[in-house]
Amino acid sequence: KRGFSTCYIWACPPSKRNDYILYCHPKDQKTPNKDKLRSWYHSMLKKATEEKIVVGLTNIYDHFFVPTEKGGSKVTLSRLPYFNGDFWCGSAMEKARTIEKESRGDYEKMLKKQVSTRALKTMGHLNPSKDAAKDILVMQKLGQDILPTKENFIVAHLQYSCMHCCEVIMSGKRWFCTECKKFQECERCHTSNEHTLKNGEVHPLCQAVVDDIPSSTKHNDTILKNGLFEDRNIFLSFCQKYQFQFDTLRRAKYSSMMILYHLSNPSPMNFGKRCSICCAHNVFQKWWKCEVCPDCIICFACYKDRGVDCHEHKLTQNEHKLAENNSTSQSDNQESNEKMMLKLENFLKNVSQFRNHESHGKKMLKLEMKLKHVFQCQAASAKPCSDTSCCQFKKLFNHAKSCTTHIKGGCEHCKKLWTILISHSMDCKDSECRIQHCSVLKKRLEYRGMRSKS
């Protein structure tokens, strides 16, 4: 009733010790095989059929690779649903490349050798062009791969489709036969109130009005745009990189909390490069890059399986020196922490010296008074405060929120703001002071013995 017409299910359980979406499952969790998973899907869909949620069940091969009796729908790649990371998406690309090499561009000649004229007519192609010939060859090769395991690719129809034009009947009138379940006609293709079978038997048609599907199926929910959840490989790589595990309840709670945080606060992160062959986001340590094609990257697994023949141009190896980084990370962190502590100590000393100077001390007192006014000011954004210094302080605080340079990078605006905040915290005695960062700075200054006790 939300407007969905078809549901595609691939009964493909993950292999043992391999994650599909969530990283690191519990050890006692069982993984079903293909037969068990497929039977579970069919039992679920059978119940949905009884409740009239599903109106028809078939598989990918019978629905897209076998032509209909009337020949209303062509057997073509354009009708196949495309889901990123699915079985036939990568397989179709491989078949297309091999056909290009074998035929050397002469697809019509290759088609005449492999497919009969009668078979082309049943597929809905009378005089196929060059592109159509390539399309048919790819479909034939792809169908041969899908046929042995076609039962694993389930297609559940949620709405009735016209048997002539193969269009989903989403509105208007629908004609159907109570005895022949497959007979469905839309308003455009309907010609008679009865239909005749091959044996000459005539069945009357019943009419139904399709009006329970809304004309507009757009939802009013706010869309959170986040690259983390665009692809399951991206999400899995992200969880692996940051160790967001789901093997215990404690880790699952923490991982869920962190994932929800990153969903609400998107930030550009390094998920590793994407392999041009397997399309997996698993290129973190070793990869091979093409010297000619700038976007071509081959992961370690694909290069190991196929070797140099995986790409037509010369490939050069790239590698992250993770071992060196890990071995030197502790010493680098210690050095950076020591440098930061020295910078902070020097900055605090400069502020105290600045305050002790008579002329600067008076200026600082005036600035502190203005700072208190900013956090007490109730002026709305539509009518700004009459005091110009108040507006300048507010701009300074807004700059500090988005500044990436800060004090350590030498931002003069941030230095001014933090000088005033530290100077105020040195003398502030209000335990419930509303000025930002005041309570935190008090604790740091008390620890270093730089706060006045008078």
Side-chain angles (χ1 to χ4, degrees), residues 16 42 45-46 51 62 99 116 119 122 127 143-144 207 211 236 260 286 323 332 399 404:
K16 287 183 179 180
H42 278 290
L45 292 167
K46 187 181 177 182
E51 294 179 8
D62 294 342
I99 288 165
S116 63
T122 55
N127 295 309
Q144 290 171 3
Q207 182 184 325
D211 59 351
L236 184 60
L260 287 170
K286 287 184 181 179
D332 290 341
H399 160 78
T404 54

Side-chain angles (χ1 to χ4, degrees), residues 23-24 235-248 250-252 254-256 258-259:
Y23 175 56
C24 199
F235 178 68
L236 184 60
S237 300
F238 167 74
C239 290
Q240 287 173 342
K241 188 177 180 183
Y242 292 97
Q243 297 294 315
F244 294 153
Q245 300 180 193
F246 293 85
D247 52 343
T248 63
R250 180 176 63 84
R251 287 174 177 170
Y254 171 77
S255 301
S256 302
M258 293 303 296
I259 288 162

Side-chain angles (χ1 to χ4, degrees), residues 41-54:
Y41 276 129
H42 278 290
S43 63
M44 178 187 67
L45 292 167
K46 187 181 177 182
K47 189 179 179 183
T49 308
E50 290 170 1
E51 294 179 8
K52 295 182 180 180
I53 297 166
V54 173

Side-chain angles (χ1 to χ4, degrees), residues 10-16 18-20 30-38 41 152:
W10 181 15
C12 177
S15 56
K16 287 183 179 180
N18 190 18
D19 298 312
Y20 189 75
K30 293 181 180 179
T31 304
N33 55 25
K34 285 183 179 180
D35 297 332
K36 208 157 193 173
L37 184 62
R38 187 174 63 247
Y41 276 129
N152 292 331

Side-chain angles (χ1 to χ4, degrees), residues 116-134:
S116 63
T117 310
R118 188 178 178 181
L120 285 172
K121 283 182 180 179
T122 55
M123 291 170 72
H125 299 279
L126 296 172
N127 295 309
S129 61
K130 186 180 178 181
D131 292 332
K134 183 185 176 182

Side-chain angles (χ1 to χ4, degrees), residues 69 163 177 179-181 183 194-205:
E69 293 177 6
M163 63 176 292
C177 179
E179 295 183 32
C180 308
K181 291 181 179 179
F183 192 93
E194 57 185 23
H195 77 103
T196 309
L197 301 177
K198 289 181 180 179
N199 58 4
E201 193 177 346
V202 180
H203 290 168
L205 297 178

Side-chain angles (χ1 to χ4, degrees), residues 132-145:
K134 183 185 176 182
D135 188 305
I136 295 161
L137 288 166
V138 173
M139 282 293 284
Q140 189 191 31
K141 296 280 185 185
L142 191 61
Q144 290 171 3
D145 285 357

Side-chain angles (χ1 to χ4, degrees), residues 86-102:
D86 219 328
F87 173 79
W88 56 85
C89 302
S91 183
M93 294 298 291
E94 285 183 10
K95 302 296 178 192
R97 289 192 196 100
T98 53
I99 288 165
E100 283 172 5
K101 288 180 182 178
E102 289 174 6

